[in-house]
Amino acid sequence: DTVIFLNFWATWCEPCREELPAMRQLREGLEDRRFIMVAVSYDEEWSKIREFFKSWFGRMPTDRELLLLRDPHLEEGTTLRETFGTTQIPDSYVIYNGRVLARFVNARDWTDTSIYNYFLLISPQIGSRQ
């Protein structure tokens, strides 16, 4: 069983940009866990996403670090984030076994110890790989 951290964001969203380094740190801290971090961008083109990561982090993240997707449906009423019940970004969801366990509206400091501990306590199944 794997925990999915689903984040809706865009390069033009200042709070989204501010929380990305902390998201990376959270992922690194949970590297030995069954944990996938997915970021769905609302940028119009992949080139903007690539430029952003190259300028901010020096490279594109690997899929294991951060699985990057771009929602092809950018028109209001058709977006993936609206399927989850939100029109704003950043917005993050914790999904386990097909169920949304938590929703985090707005930017967060993902390096906060209480958030890290939350992910460790969600379920014993996300413990270290055996």
Side-chain angles (χ1 to χ4, degrees):
D1 294 326
T2 301
V3 170
I4 299 170
F5 176 94
L6 175 64
N7 176 262
F8 297 111
W9 76 291
T11 62
W12 43 262
C13 165
E14 183 65 31
C16 300
R17 292 193 308 260
E18 289 174 2
E19 78 173 348
L20 273 172
M23 285 172 53
R24 284 185 67 192
Q25 284 184 272
L26 174 65
R27 177 64 190 110
E28 288 170 6
L30 297 171
E31 189 166 2
D32 65 340
R33 309 290 173 178
R34 292 184 186 118
F35 180 83
I36 297 172
M37 189 169 280
V38 179
V40 179
S41 173
Y42 283 87
D43 286 275
E44 292 185 12
E45 299 178 11
W46 274 107
S47 60
K48 294 195 183 293
I49 299 166
R50 283 190 288 274
E51 285 174 28
F52 169 79
F53 277 98
K54 286 183 182 175
S55 68
W56 275 57
F57 300 105
R59 63 176 177 81
M60 287 286 287
T62 66
D63 287 351
R64 182 159 167 68
E65 293 170 319
L66 178 66
L67 179 60
L68 283 170
L69 305 172
R70 190 183 71 76
D71 192 338
H73 303 286
L74 300 179
E75 288 184 35
E76 193 172 323
T78 66
T79 66
L80 178 62
R81 70 179 188 252
E82 289 170 298
T83 301
F84 274 80
T86 187
T87 56
Q88 61 188 17
I89 53 176
D91 206 1
S92 300
Y93 295 81
V94 178
I95 303 165
Y96 180 69
N97 282 341
R99 288 188 24 231
V100 174
L101 298 182
R103 177 181 179 200
F104 296 90
V105 181
N106 297 320
R108 292 278 188 271
D109 176 4
W110 299 106
T111 63
D112 184 276
T113 304
S114 64
I115 291 176
Y116 179 77
N117 288 337
Y118 166 78
F119 285 103
L120 294 179
L121 294 174
I122 289 173
S123 171
Q125 287 84 4
I126 71 163
S128 296
R129 292 183 186 166
Q130 305 275 322

